[in-house]
Amino acid sequence: SAGADGAVRLWKAGASRLERVASLPTEVTRVCFSARESRVWSSSGSNSLRVWVWDAEGPPTLLAAPAEKFRSVASARNADVLAVAAPANQVRLYNGAGQPLSSSFELPFKVGNLALSAAGDILAVSGHNGELLLYELPKFRLRWSRTVQVDGVPKMEFTRRGDELVVGGDGFVAEIDVSDGAMRVAFRPRQLWRVTASPDGRLLAAGCLDRAIRVWDREQAKEVACLQGHDGAVNALAFAPDGKTLAAGTSAGSVALWHVPSWQELGSSKTSLAAINDLTFSADGNTLAIGGRTANDGGQIILWETNSADQEKQSILDKE
């Protein structure tokens, strides 16, 4: 278990799953791994905005002085670059050790979401009124800007190849060409809440408020699966790096693992969180980081290690 002091404790959970937990004073909204450091970065709180860095061996530490506030964080999969947004319409680049790689860059609006390309050379920024900007790093050279018709903040992430930006809006998932900003609507899932792309870019998964995940095959141009049975809205989604597992986190604090492409459930577990806001796999796929809100409105980061039961069941399904 983990206490309010931020101490980390280890225990064996069901099915011999090793968990590591860190407690934070406010709700965790984003989690990501740094590429070249064994550290988890997270953003937390709606009023007390902070970015925390955790090496999973001791208590989490603040990125900067306690007086400094940060709104969101994003990491590059293959480069030692993280982007951090501040409430004052600014964004700054860091490495995994927490050292600044750039000075603060002023944006034309308050940041909603950030996304970094796998190589860490392109930054996408979304605003609260559908604004989208694409910058070339490290000099923050604007490549293009456009507006997406959404009520709130567009959900977005780069494909692994880095040539497209997948964006979710009000009832649609779109693909945007990174080179020129041209947009094409891929499919229209109902009650969309979260969107993610498979590592090879072929599959798009949409987490929905009706507790379902809808999976779209881009090559076949059709929906190939509707995954149901979750205990809440699907707030968080992530494919494993090998593309064989899809993890889903719910508004009721549960995590489900789905096998790709059989779409059979590998298993589901209730976490200590009241609601899950984000989750992501480590680069080797052996660890799943989960962030969210506790019952007392605090925050937690949970690290799950892939166990032998997960691997055995996945191996059986791979052969079927």
Side-chain angles (χ1 to χ4, degrees):
S1 63
D5 59 356
V8 181
R9 296 162 173 81
L10 307 180
W11 75 93
K12 291 283 187 178
S16 299
R17 187 186 303 280
L18 178 64
E19 290 188 358
R20 286 170 284 179
V21 179
S23 292
L24 300 177
T26 54
E27 178 177 7
V28 174
T29 54
R30 290 288 301 272
V31 289
C32 59
F33 285 95
S34 58
R36 297 178 184 172
E37 299 280 343
S38 57
R39 292 174 175 165
V40 182
W41 287 49
S42 70
S43 56
S44 69
S46 56
N47 297 317
S48 178
L49 302 168
R50 297 286 188 269
V51 166
W52 299 82
V53 183
W54 182 34
D55 65 5
E57 299 299 331
T61 58
L62 285 172
L63 173 61
E68 294 193 47
K69 294 185 177 182
F70 300 99
R71 180 172 298 279
S72 187
V73 62
S75 65
R77 290 187 179 93
N78 302 327
D80 191 22
V81 180
L82 296 101
V84 176
N89 299 7
Q90 293 179 338
V91 64
R92 193 173 189 181
L93 304 179
Y94 290 84
N95 63 18
Q99 299 166 332
L101 298 177
S102 74
S103 57
S104 295
F105 180 77
E106 190 78 21
L107 296 164
F109 51 75
K110 185 169 71 172
V111 175
N113 279 323
L114 297 172
L116 272 170
S117 64
D121 58 347
I122 302 176
L123 173 69
V125 184
S126 69
H128 290 256
N129 295 303
E131 310 98 324
L132 280 177
L133 300 175
L134 200 80
Y135 290 99
E136 298 173 4
L137 302 178
K139 296 187 179 298
F140 290 96
R141 176 180 173 271
L142 181 64
R143 179 177 292 184
W144 52 255
S145 65
R146 66 168 301 131
T147 301
V148 180
Q149 296 302 313
V150 299
D151 181 16
V153 180
K155 292 83 177 172
M156 60 183 186
E157 70 171 47
F158 285 94
T159 59
R160 297 291 173 97
R161 294 193 307 265
D163 58 342
E164 290 180 310
L165 185 69
V166 177
V167 177
D170 296 334
F172 72 88
V173 175
E175 304 148 350
I176 299 180
D177 191 312
V178 168
S179 64
D180 58 10
M183 186 174 82
R184 183 180 73 86
V185 173
F187 73 120
R188 298 183 181 276
R190 299 185 303 275
Q191 298 182 303
L192 173 70
W193 188 249
R194 184 61 64 92
V195 61
T196 191
S198 62
D200 62 5
R202 176 171 178 170
L203 302 174
L204 300 175
C208 303
L209 295 177
D210 63 0
R211 304 187 177 192
I213 302 170
R214 293 175 172 84
V215 184
W216 182 265
D217 188 305
R218 298 172 66 187
E219 291 185 6
Q220 300 183 53
K222 68 177 184 180
E223 185 177 300
V224 293
C226 182
L227 311 179
Q228 299 178 315
H230 303 95
D231 60 359
V234 181
N235 285 352
L237 282 174
F239 281 97
D242 64 4
K244 295 182 178 180
T245 304
L246 176 64
T250 75
S251 59
S254 295
V255 173
L257 301 177
W258 296 89
H259 178 260
V260 183
S262 72
W263 304 117
Q264 295 188 46
E265 189 178 272
L266 293 169
S268 62
S269 299
K270 184 76 172 72
T271 72
S272 53
L273 291 165
I276 293 171
N277 293 326
D278 198 18
L279 50 74
T280 187
F281 282 95
S282 60
D284 60 10
N286 292 330
T287 306
L288 181 68
I290 306 159
R293 174 179 55 82
T294 61
N296 62 357
D297 292 328
Q300 280 186 346
I301 308 167
I302 303 172
L303 300 185
W304 273 8
E305 300 298 329
T306 302
N307 61 30
S308 57
D310 295 332
Q311 296 168 350
E312 182 179 359
K313 189 170 184 180
Q314 179 172 299
S315 178
I316 292 172
L317 291 172
D318 286 343
K319 296 174 183 178
E320 292 182 351

